[in-house]
Amino acid sequence: MKLRHFAVVLPLAATILGGCGPEDMQDEQSTGPQGTAASEPTLGTATQELGSMGAHSWIAPADATSMGSTADRICFLNRIRGNFASAGSAVDVFASGGSWYLKGGGDTRAIARCAAKASDTVLSAEYVWKAGQKLPTNMGTTAGRVCYLVRVSGSFDSGADWARVYASGGSWFLFGDSAKGDGGAQARCVTVGTYSGEYSWSSNQNYDTHMGVTSGRVCALTYMAGRFDSVNDYIDIYSSSGSWYLGGNASASAVATKARCF
């Protein structure tokens, strides 16, 4: 049985997934042990704290879930769950007609969270990665900006299938791999005063990863990897007793995720 909130101060073992994957990439904002955050840098000029405005859920095959105006909030993925079996499998946070929406495709479901946006907050357009790209998508400077996943799609059958937002050499990047060649991901960046290093969780753990207090902070997914072949397979950011936690479940094979708080 998985024990939630147990031994959360211990460093995590490295996530073990097949092939040469994102664990080999440099991440200059995450220099501590896996599962713990590096010290939070003060970046840029934005100082507005991002308080949660609540969570929204979607389950296939329902219509898109409306999550409120794009004028006063940003929205991002907090839970991804289900059977990612083909190019049509997806979960997606998107903007349309001045509102945020959560939707997907295939036998999937998701939870997204929104956070209050200050008047001087700058939100980027969506950046895109598609299977077959030789190089990662460059999303611009890490200074005063944090980036996170807003869409994942395609087959996730093993550790060879992954999508990740990461920082290297002073820039944010979006990259991944897809064994069947049908995977993809999208991400956005937003101006913030501070952001954490990456927190990690994998299904090799029997506890969820503590990510600090919820007050004045939200957290978003930056990495998804592994085999998602049923509604029992998921990755998840959730709050409990005033803290954020990162966890998930795998019914058959390794599942892993990462997140940042800001």
Side-chain angles (χ1 to χ4, degrees):
M1 179 180 295
K2 180 172 67 176
L3 303 177
R4 299 175 93 88
H5 316 169
F6 176 74
V8 294
V9 297
L10 296 178
L12 306 184
T15 302
I16 300 174
L17 296 171
C20 179
E23 303 305 325
D24 300 321
M25 295 176 178
Q26 176 187 359
D27 186 350
E28 63 188 23
Q29 267 68 43
S30 183
T31 57
Q34 289 218 30
T36 62
S39 59
E40 298 185 359
T42 300
L43 301 172
T45 58
T47 58
Q48 175 77 16
E49 290 186 334
L50 295 177
S52 172
M53 298 181 73
H56 305 267
S57 62
W58 173 84
I59 299 175
D63 292 337
T65 299
S66 177
M67 300 188 292
S69 173
T70 58
D72 65 355
R73 70 196 67 194
I74 60 170
C75 301
F76 39 85
L77 290 166
N78 266 192
R79 171 181 276 205
I80 300 172
R81 183 170 191 163
N83 182 14
F84 284 76
S86 69
S89 304
V91 295
D92 188 17
V93 171
F94 65 96
S96 178
S99 294
W100 289 108
Y101 293 93
L102 174 63
K103 201 176 186 304
D107 186 15
T108 63
R109 54 195 68 188
I111 292 176
R113 188 172 295 275
C114 300
K117 183 173 73 171
S119 59
D120 59 349
T121 298
V122 178
L123 180 67
S124 76
E126 288 190 346
Y127 296 92
V128 178
W129 166 80
K130 294 181 179 180
Q133 282 186 215
K134 301 296 185 182
L135 296 173
T137 300
N138 189 322
M139 299 188 291
T141 181
T142 59
R145 302 166 73 243
V146 68
C147 304
Y148 45 83
L149 292 170
V150 293
R151 176 183 171 90
V152 292
S153 63
S155 301
F156 280 76
D157 290 331
S158 71
D161 300 306
W162 55 271
R164 187 182 179 192
V165 170
Y166 67 99
S168 180
S171 295
W172 290 106
F173 294 94
L174 174 64
F175 204 32
D177 199 6
S178 175
K180 290 185 178 178
D182 60 6
Q186 292 171 210
R188 288 185 186 265
C189 305
V190 64
T191 53
V192 292
T194 62
Y195 57 88
S196 73
E198 271 192 321
Y199 298 92
S200 301
W201 176 88
S202 79
S203 54
N204 298 320
Q205 295 175 210
N206 62 357
Y207 56 89
D208 292 349
T209 300
H210 181 250
M211 298 193 293
V213 300
T214 58
S215 178
R217 301 166 72 241
V218 290
C219 305
L221 295 171
T222 58
Y223 173 51
M224 171 180 173
R227 182 177 177 182
F228 291 75
D229 62 3
S230 79
V231 295
N232 296 319
D233 301 317
Y234 65 90
I235 52 178
D236 188 26
I237 293 170
Y238 66 96
S239 62
S240 179
S241 302
S243 291
W244 291 114
Y245 291 88
L246 180 64
N249 188 67
S251 57
S253 184
V255 165
T257 186
K258 296 176 185 285
R260 290 185 190 268
C261 300
F262 47 92

